[in-house]
Amino acid sequence: MGKDNRRRNNKKRTGDGYEPKGDAAALATPLEELGLSEKTTGILKDGGIATAKDLAKRRAGEMYRIRYVGKRECLEVAGALKKLGLDFRPDEPKPEAQEKPAGKPQEKTRAEGENKNNRSADKNANKKQGSNGGQNKSDRNGGKQQDKNKNQKGNKDQREDKSGRPRYDYKPYDNVNLHDLVYGKRERPAPEKPQKEQLTPDSIVKFCRQGKWGYKDWKGNVLIQPVYDNAYSFHEDRACVEKDGLLGYIDSKNRMVIDYKYDSATSFSEGLAAVSIGEKSGYIDKDGNEVLPVEFDVATGFENGKAIVRQDGRWGVLDRETLKVLWR
């Protein structure tokens, strides 16, 4: 039901009459023939995408509405469309800011002129009052001095910090905030630096030379020459290596334990590894024997005796000891 709802929503968003530009044959190219990875193709299928035209109808930002689509998938799709001379739907231009009415600056100028005239009138009135005698002047000076002393006293007890909030200005606590006064000052712990994995005499480290991968010991001596298209770390005396687009497993003596026949695979964990052939996944042991058939849509490696699997749209937890799935 969830897939049907997503497809209806997708059609509603793109059903505004927009027709992408480009060659008709290119627009009719099926999704499976765009050269996308199996993972991306499956995600787009679940999102209701069937042809290149369905992609070209969308803006690049709308791709993220499809479940599990991220930046990597968007870049992959954009590259596939570009090969066909297509592109995503262009974004709509942003509306320009409206111009301010021409009358407002004039009103502001007129208001400023009135304020200026009022200030001049007040100034003249103050001058006339000052000419009546020195008593008023002395009263004003005395009042100003009292206000000044009052302000100085208030500023001594209370001031405002940079945020505009008042704070009490006691010299012994200038560098201590309220939290520190109540709970005590605590030093912030220094951030911990990530520690590199320490190498031991049993460590085997992969390395790359001229585009090929091999393995060295902990001192840097070459144990396995760089002959593989890709290589992964050793786990449980097995390492996954790639040649001609297929994956297999070798041991620490560079003996081919499990032949190249998998499209994707994980490292061994708790004696088993998840492998995929086409769009289906299963589990094998360290000798290459099939422990669980290649029939799952998704299969992860084991961790703490549990692995996650999906089959026919249902997710479940696979138990390592019993090799049974608890379906949700």
Side-chain angles (χ1 to χ4, degrees), residues 80-95:
L81 291 176
K82 187 176 181 181
K83 292 180 180 179
L84 297 175
L86 305 176
D87 198 357
F88 289 119
R89 179 178 179 177
D91 294 331
E92 295 181 356
K94 296 182 179 179

Side-chain angles (χ1 to χ4, degrees), residues 195-206:
Q195 297 181 354
K196 295 183 178 180
E197 182 181 356
Q198 297 294 329
L199 298 180
T200 66
D202 296 329
S203 298
I204 301 177
V205 183
K206 64 179 182 177

Side-chain angles (χ1 to χ4, degrees), residues 95-280:
E96 298 181 357
Q98 296 181 355
E99 297 182 358
K100 296 182 179 180
K104 285 190 176 181
Q106 296 178 0
E107 294 176 0
K108 182 178 180 181
T109 304
R110 186 164 54 252
E112 290 179 351
E114 292 176 357
N115 292 334
K116 185 176 181 181
N117 295 333
N118 293 335
R119 287 196 298 270
S120 300
D122 293 340
K123 187 175 181 181
N124 295 331
N126 291 334
K127 286 182 179 180
K128 291 179 180 179
Q129 290 178 0
S131 61
N132 291 334
Q135 186 175 359
N136 292 337
K137 183 176 181 181
S138 61
D139 292 340
R140 288 196 301 273
N141 292 336
K144 289 182 179 179
Q145 186 66 29
Q146 290 177 1
D147 293 340
K148 184 176 181 181
N149 295 336
K150 185 177 180 180
N151 290 336
Q152 288 178 351
K153 184 177 179 181
N155 290 337
K156 184 177 181 180
D157 294 336
Q158 186 177 8
R159 297 178 182 174
E160 292 185 352
D161 59 11
K162 294 180 179 180
S163 64
R165 295 173 295 184
R167 70 175 178 85
Y168 291 97
D169 188 21
Y170 298 106
K171 289 185 178 180
Y173 305 109
D174 274 348
N175 298 323
V176 181
N177 56 33
L178 182 60
H179 182 278
D180 296 335
L181 287 173
V182 177
Y183 298 103
K185 191 170 183 179
R186 295 176 293 179
E187 295 183 358
R188 180 178 297 177
E192 297 182 0
K193 296 182 179 180
Q195 297 181 354
K196 295 183 178 180
E197 182 181 356
Q198 297 294 329
L199 298 180
T200 66
D202 296 329
S203 298
I204 301 177
V205 183
K206 64 179 182 177
F207 73 98
C208 183
R209 181 187 297 165
Q210 296 180 353
K212 296 293 183 178
W213 290 84
Y215 295 89
K216 295 181 180 180
D217 63 11
W218 70 301
K219 291 184 177 180
N221 302 316
V222 176
L223 297 177
I224 300 174
Q225 293 295 331
V227 295
Y228 301 106
D229 298 336
N230 206 345
Y232 302 88
S233 300
F234 271 91
H235 291 275
E236 301 181 5
D237 195 41
R238 296 289 185 271
C240 184
V241 292
E242 179 180 350
K243 266 191 175 182
D244 300 328
L246 294 177
L247 300 172
Y249 292 86
I250 61 173
D251 62 10
S252 57
K253 303 298 182 183
N254 199 23
R255 291 176 295 199
M256 200 70 202
V257 181
I258 303 173
D259 200 9
Y260 304 103
K261 58 181 178 179
Y262 302 111
D263 296 312
S264 62
T266 67
S267 298
F268 274 91
S269 176
E270 303 182 21
L272 298 180
V275 294
S276 300
I277 299 177
E279 297 182 358
K280 297 296 181 179

